[in-house]
Each structure stands twice: as C-alpha cells, then as structure tokens.
Amino acid sequence: MVAQTAFAVLPARNLAGSIVGRSLGILHWMGIFPAFVFLASSLLYSRLTEGAAQGFAARNLLICLMVALTLISQFGIIPRMDALRAS
C-alpha cells in the first residue's frame, strides 16, 4: 500500500523509492526481532510442556525460514536496490 500510494502521490520516482525502501527496512526489522522472540518462546514452551525443546517442529522451521528470507531481503536485495537507485 505504501508503494502504490507513494508512487501515485509524490512528484518524483526517486522520492517514492526512498520512502518505499525506508518502509521496507522498518518492516524487516519489525519481523526479525519478534521472530526471534517467538522462536525462543516456542522452544521454551515445548520444553516446559513436553520436557524437550522441539527445535525441528514445523512451526520452528517455518520461523527460521521466515527470518532467513527476511535477512536475505534486508542485507542482499535492499542494498542492490539502493545501488541501482544511486546509479
């Protein structure tokens, strides 16, 4: 929604790109930190209820996949987008 609105309202594409890039960065960090909290909570909960932390449970693997994809986007794709915007 932010991208569509920014590109429709702002007069220059580079301004809209800056807003979208900044928004994506914030959204990435909003996903990374809570994912680690959720993963730790999930492991602790399974440890307390079942006696062993289930590190390879589907929910934990999906959390790790989500964090990995978010980190790839934040540190791999976003810097490339910034380099393309600068050139």
Side-chain angles (χ1 to χ4, degrees):
M1 286 190 104
V2 172
Q4 183 180 10
T5 304
F7 282 101
V9 173
L10 292 173
R13 292 178 58 88
N14 62 346
L15 292 175
S18 296
I19 289 174
V20 171
R22 176 85 170 134
S23 298
L24 281 176
I26 292 169
L27 286 172
H28 285 148
W29 289 113
M30 286 173 59
I32 292 168
F33 288 122
F36 284 118
V37 171
F38 185 76
L39 182 62
S41 300
S42 175
L43 292 171
L44 180 63
Y45 179 75
S46 63
R47 169 93 171 148
L48 293 175
T49 58
E50 300 174 19
Q54 298 176 349
F56 292 106
R59 65 185 174 269
N60 297 335
L61 293 176
L62 289 172
I63 294 169
C64 291
L65 177 64
M66 181 194 73
V67 169
L69 291 173
T70 304
L71 289 171
I72 288 169
S73 179
Q74 178 66 26
F75 296 111
I77 296 172
I78 297 291
R80 289 181 188 169
M81 288 173 48
D82 291 340
L84 284 173
R85 191 178 315 118
S87 65

